[in-house]
Amino acid sequence: MSGVPGGGENPRPVGVLEDEAAVEERLPGPGARRITWRKLVFMPAVLAFVLLVTWLWYEGTDLDSVSRNSLAGGNMWIRLREHIWLTAVSTFFVLIIAIPLGILLSRPRFRRVQPVAMAVANVGQASPSIGILALLVIWVGVGMKAAVVGMTIYALLPVLANTIAGLRTIDPTLIEAARGIGMSQRGVLRKVELPLAVPLILAGVRTALVLNVGTATLAFFVGGGGLGDLITSGITNHRMPVLILGSVLTVTLALFVDWLASLAELLLRPQGLEVSR
């Protein structure tokens, strides 16, 4: 079978394409990139040191009755677990909504709807997160459900925008080559387009994760729990130990999640992207 001629500023000759497996060998597939020891160890070590110093300071602080009541019954660990749960669940819903929607909007048939969908997502991102949560209380009531829905709406834009951008920046000659050997539209999407769009999609997911960690601190105001309980209690009662504990745990969690996401980017990012040039 004869190859499909390339296009663009620097066309790449496709040559003779024998079967689908030959194309897959030339396309980037998921594989682990080298992760240095510094990348693997440095950030966890810094965060562990910060937590250790904070804990030693906390243990040496003479707490009054108000501070002890704020942290009684393992409240700190309960709020930390709630914060992690809120972040994980909201991010899960962001992924199952934003990525399929981004794929759908990148198809020629639905590109007319793309500006409308992006405008709606931009409204959710531009609106104050506390305002979204407050409005959702009227709709779904007080509790974790309102917090999860609000956090999901707030973090949709980065993943949706990056999914669309990643699929739109793919070299058309690769798609033409895949279609030229008889691959279906679904096969092209699964074996060509999505692997090439992975870097941008992962960058959006990383942004959404960090956003959700920060937004989860506001879940307390709608009865959703989280570390916002400690932060708010420390501010309203003027208790610095409680405020510092809540703030340090929130910042540490955000940095830890960002570090995990950066490792995922290195592990899942396809190798050999230069073949599309």
Side-chain angles (χ1 to χ4, degrees), residues 16-84:
V16 178
L17 300 176
E18 298 180 356
D19 52 26
E20 186 173 319
V23 172
E24 291 182 21
E25 290 179 359
R26 299 177 63 85
L27 293 175
R33 292 189 170 189
R34 180 183 298 178
I35 299 178
T36 63
W37 280 107
R38 181 178 180 182
K39 176 71 175 177
L40 194 62
V41 175
F42 179 74
M43 181 57 71
V46 171
L47 297 180
F49 176 76
V50 170
L51 290 175
L52 177 62
V53 170
T54 304
W55 183 256
L56 292 175
W57 169 81
Y58 167 75
E59 287 293 316
T61 301
D62 186 19
L63 301 179
D64 57 17
S65 58
V66 175
S67 297
R68 285 195 298 270
N69 289 336
S70 298
L71 302 171
N75 187 50
M76 179 180 67
W77 302 112
I78 293 173
R79 299 308 182 188
L80 178 60
R81 287 197 299 269
E82 290 174 346
H83 206 99
I84 295 173

Short mmCIF file of all heavy atoms in Angstrom, two decimals, residues 16-84:
data_model
loop_
_atom_site.label_atom_id
_atom_site.label_comp_id
_atom_site.label_asym_id
_atom_site.label_seq_id
_atom_site.Cartn_x
_atom_site.Cartn_y
_atom_site.Cartn_z
N VAL A 16 6.27 3.44 3.04
CA VAL A 16 5.39 2.30 2.84
C VAL A 16 4.85 1.86 4.18
O VAL A 16 5.59 1.59 5.11
CB VAL A 16 6.15 1.14 2.15
CG1 VAL A 16 5.24 -0.06 1.99
CG2 VAL A 16 6.66 1.61 0.79
N LEU A 17 3.53 1.78 4.27
CA LEU A 17 2.87 1.35 5.49
C LEU A 17 2.25 -0.02 5.24
O LEU A 17 1.35 -0.17 4.42
CB LEU A 17 1.79 2.36 5.90
CG LEU A 17 2.32 3.78 6.15
CD1 LEU A 17 1.16 4.70 6.46
CD2 LEU A 17 3.31 3.78 7.28
N GLU A 18 2.74 -1.03 5.95
CA GLU A 18 2.28 -2.38 5.67
C GLU A 18 1.01 -2.73 6.44
O GLU A 18 0.09 -3.30 5.90
CB GLU A 18 3.38 -3.39 6.00
CG GLU A 18 4.62 -3.19 5.15
CD GLU A 18 5.70 -4.19 5.48
OE1 GLU A 18 5.49 -4.98 6.43
OE2 GLU A 18 6.73 -4.18 4.80
N ASP A 19 0.98 -2.39 7.72
CA ASP A 19 -0.19 -2.74 8.51
C ASP A 19 -0.30 -1.80 9.69
O ASP A 19 0.54 -0.93 9.91
CB ASP A 19 -0.14 -4.20 8.99
CG ASP A 19 1.17 -4.52 9.71
OD1 ASP A 19 1.78 -3.58 10.26
OD2 ASP A 19 1.57 -5.69 9.72
N GLU A 20 -1.33 -2.00 10.48
CA GLU A 20 -1.59 -1.13 11.62
C GLU A 20 -0.51 -1.25 12.68
O GLU A 20 -0.15 -0.29 13.35
CB GLU A 20 -2.96 -1.50 12.22
CG GLU A 20 -3.42 -0.59 13.32
CD GLU A 20 -4.83 -0.91 13.74
OE1 GLU A 20 -5.67 -1.18 12.87
OE2 GLU A 20 -5.08 -0.89 14.95
N ALA A 21 0.04 -2.46 12.86
CA ALA A 21 1.08 -2.66 13.87
C ALA A 21 2.32 -1.85 13.55
O ALA A 21 3.00 -1.34 14.45
CB ALA A 21 1.44 -4.14 13.96
N ALA A 22 2.63 -1.69 12.27
CA ALA A 22 3.80 -0.90 11.90
C ALA A 22 3.64 0.55 12.29
O ALA A 22 4.59 1.20 12.70
CB ALA A 22 4.03 -1.00 10.39
N VAL A 23 2.42 1.08 12.15
CA VAL A 23 2.18 2.45 12.55
C VAL A 23 2.30 2.59 14.05
O VAL A 23 2.86 3.56 14.57
CB VAL A 23 0.77 2.90 12.08
CG1 VAL A 23 0.44 4.27 12.66
CG2 VAL A 23 0.74 2.99 10.56
N GLU A 24 1.76 1.61 14.80
CA GLU A 24 1.80 1.70 16.26
C GLU A 24 3.23 1.73 16.76
O GLU A 24 3.53 2.35 17.78
CB GLU A 24 1.05 0.51 16.87
CG GLU A 24 -0.45 0.57 16.62
CD GLU A 24 -1.16 -0.59 17.28
OE1 GLU A 24 -0.58 -1.16 18.21
OE2 GLU A 24 -2.27 -0.92 16.87
N GLU A 25 4.14 1.03 16.06
CA GLU A 25 5.53 1.04 16.50
C GLU A 25 6.15 2.42 16.35
O GLU A 25 7.05 2.78 17.10
CB GLU A 25 6.33 0.03 15.66
CG GLU A 25 5.97 -1.42 15.97
CD GLU A 25 6.76 -2.37 15.11
OE1 GLU A 25 7.56 -1.88 14.28
OE2 GLU A 25 6.58 -3.59 15.26
N ARG A 26 5.66 3.22 15.40
CA ARG A 26 6.21 4.54 15.17
C ARG A 26 5.56 5.60 16.03
O ARG A 26 6.06 6.71 16.14
CB ARG A 26 6.04 4.93 13.69
CG ARG A 26 6.75 4.00 12.73
CD ARG A 26 6.46 4.41 11.30
NE ARG A 26 6.98 5.74 11.03
CZ ARG A 26 8.23 6.01 10.66
NH1 ARG A 26 9.11 5.03 10.54
NH2 ARG A 26 8.60 7.26 10.43
N LEU A 27 4.41 5.26 16.62
CA LEU A 27 3.70 6.22 17.44
C LEU A 27 4.16 6.12 18.88
O LEU A 27 4.51 5.05 19.36
CB LEU A 27 2.19 5.97 17.36
CG LEU A 27 1.57 6.24 15.98
CD1 LEU A 27 0.12 5.84 16.00
CD2 LEU A 27 1.72 7.71 15.61
N PRO A 28 4.13 7.24 19.61
CA PRO A 28 4.55 7.22 21.00
C PRO A 28 3.57 6.43 21.85
O PRO A 28 2.37 6.61 21.74
CB PRO A 28 4.54 8.70 21.40
CG PRO A 28 3.59 9.33 20.46
CD PRO A 28 3.70 8.58 19.17
N GLY A 29 4.08 5.58 22.67
CA GLY A 29 3.24 4.82 23.60
C GLY A 29 3.62 5.15 25.01
O GLY A 29 4.70 5.67 25.29
N PRO A 30 2.72 4.88 25.98
CA PRO A 30 3.02 5.19 27.36
C PRO A 30 4.20 4.37 27.85
O PRO A 30 4.30 3.17 27.58
CB PRO A 30 1.73 4.81 28.09
CG PRO A 30 1.05 3.84 27.19
CD PRO A 30 1.43 4.23 25.81
N GLY A 31 5.09 5.00 28.55
CA GLY A 31 6.24 4.30 29.09
C GLY A 31 6.90 5.13 30.16
O GLY A 31 6.78 6.34 30.19
N ALA A 32 7.59 4.48 31.04
CA ALA A 32 8.21 5.19 32.15
C ALA A 32 9.47 5.90 31.70
O ALA A 32 10.35 5.32 31.09
CB ALA A 32 8.54 4.19 33.27
N ARG A 33 9.52 7.19 31.97
CA ARG A 33 10.75 7.93 31.75
C ARG A 33 11.60 7.83 33.01
O ARG A 33 11.11 7.52 34.08
CB ARG A 33 10.43 9.38 31.42
CG ARG A 33 9.74 9.54 30.07
CD ARG A 33 9.65 11.00 29.71
NE ARG A 33 9.21 11.15 28.34
CZ ARG A 33 9.19 12.28 27.68
NH1 ARG A 33 9.62 13.38 28.27
NH2 ARG A 33 8.77 12.35 26.44
N ARG A 34 12.86 8.14 32.85
CA ARG A 34 13.76 8.07 34.00
C ARG A 34 13.38 9.13 35.01
O ARG A 34 13.28 10.31 34.69
CB ARG A 34 15.19 8.26 33.54
CG ARG A 34 16.19 8.20 34.70
CD ARG A 34 17.59 8.47 34.21
NE ARG A 34 18.01 7.46 33.26
CZ ARG A 34 19.19 7.49 32.65
NH1 ARG A 34 20.02 8.48 32.88
NH2 ARG A 34 19.52 6.53 31.79
N ILE A 35 13.17 8.71 36.25
CA ILE A 35 12.89 9.63 37.35
C ILE A 35 14.12 9.63 38.25
O ILE A 35 14.48 8.60 38.81
CB ILE A 35 11.64 9.20 38.14
CG1 ILE A 35 10.42 9.20 37.23
CG2 ILE A 35 11.42 10.11 39.33
CD1 ILE A 35 9.15 8.75 37.91
N THR A 36 14.74 10.77 38.38
CA THR A 36 15.97 10.86 39.16
C THR A 36 15.67 10.70 40.64
O THR A 36 14.54 10.92 41.10
CB THR A 36 16.65 12.21 38.92
OG1 THR A 36 15.79 13.26 39.37
CG2 THR A 36 16.94 12.41 37.44
N TRP A 37 16.68 10.33 41.38
CA TRP A 37 16.53 10.20 42.83
C TRP A 37 16.18 11.53 43.47
O TRP A 37 15.43 11.59 44.44
CB TRP A 37 17.82 9.64 43.44
CG TRP A 37 17.95 8.17 43.29
CD1 TRP A 37 18.78 7.48 42.45
CD2 TRP A 37 17.18 7.18 43.98
NE1 TRP A 37 18.59 6.13 42.58
CE2 TRP A 37 17.62 5.91 43.51
CE3 TRP A 37 16.19 7.23 44.95
CZ2 TRP A 37 17.08 4.72 43.98
CZ3 TRP A 37 15.65 6.03 45.41
CH2 TRP A 37 16.09 4.80 44.94
N ARG A 38 16.72 12.60 42.91
CA ARG A 38 16.41 13.92 43.45
C ARG A 38 14.92 14.23 43.30
O ARG A 38 14.29 14.75 44.22
CB ARG A 38 17.25 14.98 42.74
CG ARG A 38 17.01 16.38 43.25
CD ARG A 38 17.91 17.39 42.55
NE ARG A 38 17.67 18.73 43.04
CZ ARG A 38 18.28 19.82 42.59
NH1 ARG A 38 19.19 19.69 41.64
NH2 ARG A 38 18.00 21.01 43.08
N LYS A 39 14.39 13.90 42.12
CA LYS A 39 12.96 14.12 41.88
C LYS A 39 12.12 13.25 42.80
O LYS A 39 11.06 13.66 43.28
CB LYS A 39 12.65 13.80 40.42
CG LYS A 39 11.18 13.89 40.04
CD LYS A 39 10.70 15.32 40.03
CE LYS A 39 9.28 15.42 39.55
NZ LYS A 39 8.75 16.80 39.60
N LEU A 40 12.58 12.05 43.06
CA LEU A 40 11.81 11.09 43.83
C LEU A 40 11.87 11.36 45.32
O LEU A 40 10.90 11.08 46.05
CB LEU A 40 12.34 9.68 43.53
CG LEU A 40 11.48 8.50 43.98
CD1 LEU A 40 10.13 8.52 43.29
CD2 LEU A 40 12.19 7.19 43.69
N VAL A 41 12.98 11.91 45.80
CA VAL A 41 13.21 11.99 47.24
C VAL A 41 13.13 13.41 47.79
O VAL A 41 12.68 13.62 48.92
CB VAL A 41 14.58 11.36 47.59
CG1 VAL A 41 14.90 11.54 49.06
CG2 VAL A 41 14.60 9.89 47.21
N PHE A 42 13.54 14.40 47.00
CA PHE A 42 13.72 15.74 47.55
C PHE A 42 12.44 16.32 48.14
O PHE A 42 12.41 16.74 49.30
CB PHE A 42 14.26 16.68 46.46
CG PHE A 42 14.46 18.09 46.92
CD1 PHE A 42 15.52 18.42 47.75
CD2 PHE A 42 13.57 19.10 46.55
CE1 PHE A 42 15.70 19.72 48.19
CE2 PHE A 42 13.74 20.40 46.98
CZ PHE A 42 14.80 20.71 47.81
N MET A 43 11.35 16.37 47.36
CA MET A 43 10.12 16.98 47.84
C MET A 43 9.52 16.25 49.04
O MET A 43 9.16 16.88 50.04
CB MET A 43 9.10 17.09 46.71
CG MET A 43 7.79 17.75 47.12
SD MET A 43 8.01 19.43 47.80
CE MET A 43 8.47 20.31 46.32
N PRO A 44 9.41 14.89 49.02
CA PRO A 44 8.91 14.21 50.22
C PRO A 44 9.76 14.46 51.45
O PRO A 44 9.23 14.59 52.57
CB PRO A 44 8.94 12.73 49.82
CG PRO A 44 8.85 12.74 48.35
CD PRO A 44 9.59 13.95 47.90
N ALA A 45 11.09 14.56 51.27
CA ALA A 45 11.96 14.82 52.41
C ALA A 45 11.71 16.21 52.98
O ALA A 45 11.66 16.38 54.21
CB ALA A 45 13.43 14.66 51.99
N VAL A 46 11.55 17.20 52.11
CA VAL A 46 11.28 18.57 52.58
C VAL A 46 9.95 18.62 53.31
O VAL A 46 9.83 19.22 54.40
CB VAL A 46 11.28 19.55 51.39
CG1 VAL A 46 10.77 20.92 51.82
CG2 VAL A 46 12.68 19.67 50.81
N LEU A 47 8.92 17.99 52.75
CA LEU A 47 7.60 18.01 53.38
C LEU A 47 7.61 17.27 54.72
O LEU A 47 6.98 17.71 55.68
CB LEU A 47 6.56 17.39 52.44
CG LEU A 47 6.34 18.12 51.11
CD1 LEU A 47 5.30 17.40 50.28
CD2 LEU A 47 5.92 19.56 51.35
N ALA A 48 8.34 16.15 54.77
CA ALA A 48 8.44 15.41 56.03
C ALA A 48 9.15 16.25 57.09
O ALA A 48 8.76 16.25 58.27
CB ALA A 48 9.19 14.10 55.80
N PHE A 49 10.17 17.00 56.68
CA PHE A 49 10.89 17.87 57.62
C PHE A 49 9.97 18.97 58.14
O PHE A 49 9.95 19.27 59.34
CB PHE A 49 12.11 18.47 56.93
CG PHE A 49 12.87 19.45 57.77
CD1 PHE A 49 13.69 19.01 58.80
CD2 PHE A 49 12.76 20.82 57.54
CE1 PHE A 49 14.39 19.93 59.59
CE2 PHE A 49 13.43 21.73 58.32
CZ PHE A 49 14.26 21.28 59.35
N VAL A 50 9.20 19.58 57.25
CA VAL A 50 8.27 20.64 57.66
C VAL A 50 7.24 20.10 58.64
O VAL A 50 6.93 20.73 59.67
CB VAL A 50 7.58 21.24 56.43
CG1 VAL A 50 6.44 22.18 56.85
CG2 VAL A 50 8.59 22.00 55.56
N LEU A 51 6.69 18.92 58.35
CA LEU A 51 5.70 18.32 59.25
C LEU A 51 6.32 17.97 60.60
O LEU A 51 5.68 18.16 61.65
CB LEU A 51 5.11 17.07 58.60
CG LEU A 51 4.18 17.30 57.41
CD1 LEU A 51 3.76 15.96 56.81
CD2 LEU A 51 2.95 18.10 57.82
N LEU A 52 7.55 17.48 60.58
CA LEU A 52 8.23 17.13 61.83
C LEU A 52 8.46 18.37 62.69
O LEU A 52 8.19 18.37 63.90
CB LEU A 52 9.55 16.44 61.53
CG LEU A 52 10.42 16.07 62.75
CD1 LEU A 52 9.67 15.08 63.65
CD2 LEU A 52 11.75 15.49 62.30
N VAL A 53 8.95 19.44 62.07
CA VAL A 53 9.19 20.68 62.80
C VAL A 53 7.88 21.23 63.37
O VAL A 53 7.81 21.67 64.52
CB VAL A 53 9.88 21.72 61.89
CG1 VAL A 53 9.92 23.09 62.56
CG2 VAL A 53 11.29 21.27 61.53
N THR A 54 6.83 21.19 62.55
CA THR A 54 5.52 21.69 63.01
C THR A 54 5.00 20.86 64.17
O THR A 54 4.46 21.40 65.15
CB THR A 54 4.51 21.66 61.86
OG1 THR A 54 5.02 22.41 60.75
CG2 THR A 54 3.17 22.24 62.28
N TRP A 55 5.17 19.54 64.08
CA TRP A 55 4.68 18.68 65.15
C TRP A 55 5.46 18.90 66.45
O TRP A 55 4.88 18.93 67.54
CB TRP A 55 4.76 17.22 64.72
CG TRP A 55 4.22 16.26 65.74
CD1 TRP A 55 4.91 15.46 66.59
CD2 TRP A 55 2.83 16.05 66.02
NE1 TRP A 55 4.06 14.75 67.38
CE2 TRP A 55 2.77 15.08 67.05
CE3 TRP A 55 1.66 16.57 65.50
CZ2 TRP A 55 1.57 14.65 67.57
CZ3 TRP A 55 0.45 16.12 66.01
CH2 TRP A 55 0.40 15.17 67.04
N LEU A 56 6.79 19.03 66.34
CA LEU A 56 7.60 19.28 67.54
C LEU A 56 7.22 20.61 68.17
O LEU A 56 7.15 20.73 69.40
CB LEU A 56 9.09 19.26 67.17
CG LEU A 56 9.66 17.90 66.75
CD1 LEU A 56 11.11 18.04 66.31
CD2 LEU A 56 9.54 16.90 67.91
N TRP A 57 6.98 21.62 67.32
CA TRP A 57 6.54 22.92 67.85
C TRP A 57 5.19 22.80 68.54
O TRP A 57 4.97 23.35 69.62
CB TRP A 57 6.46 23.92 66.71
CG TRP A 57 5.77 25.21 67.09
CD1 TRP A 57 6.32 26.27 67.75
CD2 TRP A 57 4.41 25.54 66.85
NE1 TRP A 57 5.38 27.25 67.93
CE2 TRP A 57 4.19 26.83 67.40
CE3 TRP A 57 3.35 24.88 66.24
CZ2 TRP A 57 2.95 27.46 67.34
CZ3 TRP A 57 2.12 25.50 66.18
CH2 TRP A 57 1.93 26.78 66.73
N TYR A 58 4.29 22.03 67.93
CA TYR A 58 2.96 21.85 68.50
C TYR A 58 3.03 21.12 69.83
O TYR A 58 2.34 21.48 70.80
CB TYR A 58 2.09 21.08 67.50
CG TYR A 58 0.81 20.55 68.07
CD1 TYR A 58 -0.27 21.40 68.33
CD2 TYR A 58 0.66 19.19 68.37
CE1 TYR A 58 -1.44 20.91 68.86
CE2 TYR A 58 -0.52 18.71 68.89
CZ TYR A 58 -1.57 19.56 69.14
OH TYR A 58 -2.73 19.08 69.66
N GLU A 59 3.86 20.08 69.92
CA GLU A 59 4.00 19.31 71.15
C GLU A 59 4.58 20.16 72.28
O GLU A 59 4.27 19.93 73.46
CB GLU A 59 4.89 18.09 70.92
CG GLU A 59 4.23 16.99 70.11
CD GLU A 59 3.08 16.34 70.85
OE1 GLU A 59 3.23 16.05 72.04
OE2 GLU A 59 2.02 16.14 70.23
N GLY A 60 5.41 21.14 71.94
CA GLY A 60 6.00 21.98 72.97
C GLY A 60 5.19 23.21 73.32
O GLY A 60 5.60 24.01 74.15
N THR A 61 4.03 23.38 72.67
CA THR A 61 3.19 24.54 72.91
C THR A 61 2.18 24.25 74.02
O THR A 61 1.56 23.18 74.04
CB THR A 61 2.43 24.94 71.62
OG1 THR A 61 3.38 25.21 70.59
CG2 THR A 61 1.57 26.17 71.86
N ASP A 62 2.02 25.20 74.90
CA ASP A 62 1.05 25.07 75.99
C ASP A 62 -0.32 25.51 75.49
O ASP A 62 -0.59 26.70 75.32
CB ASP A 62 1.49 25.94 77.18
CG ASP A 62 0.59 25.72 78.39
OD1 ASP A 62 -0.11 24.69 78.43
OD2 ASP A 62 0.59 26.58 79.29
N LEU A 63 -1.18 24.54 75.21
CA LEU A 63 -2.49 24.83 74.64
C LEU A 63 -3.50 25.16 75.74
O LEU A 63 -3.51 24.52 76.80
CB LEU A 63 -3.02 23.62 73.85
CG LEU A 63 -2.16 23.14 72.68
CD1 LEU A 63 -2.80 21.92 72.03
CD2 LEU A 63 -1.98 24.25 71.66
N ASP A 64 -4.34 26.14 75.45
CA ASP A 64 -5.41 26.44 76.40
C ASP A 64 -6.61 25.54 76.09
O ASP A 64 -6.59 24.72 75.19
CB ASP A 64 -5.80 27.93 76.32
CG ASP A 64 -6.23 28.36 74.93
OD1 ASP A 64 -6.54 27.48 74.09
OD2 ASP A 64 -6.27 29.58 74.67
N SER A 65 -7.69 25.72 76.86
CA SER A 65 -8.84 24.83 76.74
C SER A 65 -9.52 24.96 75.37
O SER A 65 -10.02 23.97 74.81
CB SER A 65 -9.86 25.13 77.85
OG SER A 65 -10.28 26.49 77.79
N VAL A 66 -9.53 26.18 74.81
CA VAL A 66 -10.19 26.38 73.52
C VAL A 66 -9.43 25.63 72.42
O VAL A 66 -10.04 24.95 71.57
CB VAL A 66 -10.27 27.89 73.18
CG1 VAL A 66 -10.85 28.09 71.78
CG2 VAL A 66 -11.11 28.62 74.22
N SER A 67 -8.12 25.72 72.42
CA SER A 67 -7.31 25.02 71.42
C SER A 67 -7.43 23.52 71.58
O SER A 67 -7.55 22.78 70.59
CB SER A 67 -5.84 25.44 71.54
OG SER A 67 -5.67 26.82 71.27
N ARG A 68 -7.44 23.05 72.84
CA ARG A 68 -7.57 21.61 73.06
C ARG A 68 -8.92 21.11 72.58
O ARG A 68 -9.03 20.02 72.01
CB ARG A 68 -7.36 21.29 74.54
CG ARG A 68 -5.91 21.37 74.99
CD ARG A 68 -5.72 20.69 76.35
NE ARG A 68 -6.50 21.37 77.39
CZ ARG A 68 -6.05 22.38 78.14
NH1 ARG A 68 -4.80 22.81 77.96
NH2 ARG A 68 -6.80 22.94 79.06
N ASN A 69 -9.96 21.88 72.79
CA ASN A 69 -11.28 21.47 72.33
C ASN A 69 -11.36 21.41 70.81
O ASN A 69 -12.05 20.56 70.24
CB ASN A 69 -12.35 22.44 72.85
CG ASN A 69 -12.58 22.30 74.35
OD1 ASN A 69 -12.31 21.24 74.92
ND2 ASN A 69 -13.06 23.36 74.98
N SER A 70 -10.65 22.33 70.13
CA SER A 70 -10.66 22.34 68.67
C SER A 70 -9.98 21.10 68.08
O SER A 70 -10.29 20.68 66.96
CB SER A 70 -9.96 23.60 68.15
OG SER A 70 -10.62 24.76 68.56
N LEU A 71 -9.04 20.54 68.84
CA LEU A 71 -8.29 19.39 68.34
C LEU A 71 -8.65 18.10 69.07
O LEU A 71 -8.01 17.06 68.83
CB LEU A 71 -6.79 19.66 68.50
CG LEU A 71 -6.26 20.90 67.78
CD1 LEU A 71 -4.82 21.18 68.19
CD2 LEU A 71 -6.36 20.72 66.27
N ALA A 72 -9.64 18.14 69.93
CA ALA A 72 -10.00 16.97 70.74
C ALA A 72 -10.60 15.87 69.86
O ALA A 72 -11.18 16.13 68.80
CB ALA A 72 -10.99 17.38 71.82
N GLY A 73 -10.48 14.65 70.35
CA GLY A 73 -11.08 13.51 69.66
C GLY A 73 -10.47 13.21 68.30
O GLY A 73 -11.15 12.65 67.43
N GLY A 74 -9.20 13.53 68.14
CA GLY A 74 -8.56 13.29 66.85
C GLY A 74 -9.15 14.12 65.73
O GLY A 74 -9.15 13.69 64.56
N ASN A 75 -9.63 15.33 66.06
CA ASN A 75 -10.28 16.16 65.06
C ASN A 75 -9.34 16.51 63.89
O ASN A 75 -9.78 16.60 62.74
CB ASN A 75 -10.79 17.45 65.71
CG ASN A 75 -11.62 18.29 64.77
OD1 ASN A 75 -12.55 17.79 64.14
ND2 ASN A 75 -11.31 19.57 64.67
N MET A 76 -8.05 16.68 64.19
CA MET A 76 -7.10 17.03 63.14
C MET A 76 -7.04 15.93 62.08
O MET A 76 -7.08 16.21 60.87
CB MET A 76 -5.72 17.26 63.73
CG MET A 76 -4.64 17.60 62.70
SD MET A 76 -3.03 17.88 63.45
CE MET A 76 -2.66 16.21 64.05
N TRP A 77 -6.95 14.66 62.50
CA TRP A 77 -6.86 13.55 61.55
C TRP A 77 -8.19 13.34 60.82
O TRP A 77 -8.19 12.98 59.64
CB TRP A 77 -6.46 12.27 62.29
CG TRP A 77 -5.16 12.42 63.02
CD1 TRP A 77 -4.97 12.43 64.37
CD2 TRP A 77 -3.87 12.61 62.43
NE1 TRP A 77 -3.64 12.60 64.66
CE2 TRP A 77 -2.95 12.71 63.50
CE3 TRP A 77 -3.41 12.68 61.12
CZ2 TRP A 77 -1.59 12.90 63.27
CZ3 TRP A 77 -2.06 12.87 60.90
CH2 TRP A 77 -1.16 12.97 61.96
N ILE A 78 -9.29 13.57 61.52
CA ILE A 78 -10.60 13.45 60.86
C ILE A 78 -10.72 14.47 59.74
O ILE A 78 -11.14 14.15 58.62
CB ILE A 78 -11.73 13.65 61.89
CG1 ILE A 78 -11.74 12.49 62.89
CG2 ILE A 78 -13.08 13.75 61.19
CD1 ILE A 78 -12.71 12.69 64.04
N ARG A 79 -10.33 15.72 60.03
CA ARG A 79 -10.43 16.77 59.01
C ARG A 79 -9.46 16.53 57.86
O ARG A 79 -9.77 16.84 56.70
CB ARG A 79 -10.16 18.14 59.65
CG ARG A 79 -11.14 18.53 60.75
CD ARG A 79 -12.57 18.41 60.28
NE ARG A 79 -13.52 18.80 61.30
CZ ARG A 79 -14.83 18.66 61.21
NH1 ARG A 79 -15.36 18.10 60.12
NH2 ARG A 79 -15.63 19.04 62.17
N LEU A 80 -8.29 15.98 58.16
CA LEU A 80 -7.33 15.69 57.10
C LEU A 80 -7.88 14.60 56.17
O LEU A 80 -7.78 14.72 54.94
CB LEU A 80 -6.00 15.25 57.71
CG LEU A 80 -4.89 14.85 56.72
CD1 LEU A 80 -4.55 16.02 55.80
CD2 LEU A 80 -3.66 14.37 57.46
N ARG A 81 -8.47 13.56 56.74
CA ARG A 81 -9.07 12.50 55.91
C ARG A 81 -10.22 13.06 55.07
O ARG A 81 -10.36 12.69 53.91
CB ARG A 81 -9.56 11.35 56.80
CG ARG A 81 -8.46 10.50 57.39
CD ARG A 81 -9.00 9.17 57.90
NE ARG A 81 -10.00 9.38 58.95
CZ ARG A 81 -9.72 9.44 60.25
NH1 ARG A 81 -8.45 9.32 60.66
NH2 ARG A 81 -10.66 9.61 61.14
N GLU A 82 -11.03 13.92 55.65
CA GLU A 82 -12.12 14.53 54.90
C GLU A 82 -11.57 15.36 53.73
O GLU A 82 -12.13 15.33 52.63
CB GLU A 82 -12.97 15.41 55.82
CG GLU A 82 -13.79 14.64 56.82
CD GLU A 82 -14.51 15.57 57.80
OE1 GLU A 82 -14.16 16.77 57.86
OE2 GLU A 82 -15.41 15.09 58.51
N HIS A 83 -10.50 16.08 53.99
CA HIS A 83 -9.90 16.93 52.96
C HIS A 83 -9.39 16.07 51.79
O HIS A 83 -9.61 16.42 50.62
CB HIS A 83 -8.75 17.74 53.56
CG HIS A 83 -8.48 19.02 52.86
ND1 HIS A 83 -8.93 20.23 53.30
CD2 HIS A 83 -7.79 19.29 51.72
CE1 HIS A 83 -8.54 21.19 52.49
NE2 HIS A 83 -7.84 20.64 51.51
N ILE A 84 -8.72 14.99 52.12
CA ILE A 84 -8.20 14.09 51.08
C ILE A 84 -9.36 13.46 50.30
O ILE A 84 -9.31 13.35 49.07
CB ILE A 84 -7.30 13.01 51.70
CG1 ILE A 84 -6.04 13.66 52.31
CG2 ILE A 84 -6.92 11.96 50.67
CD1 ILE A 84 -5.18 12.70 53.09
#
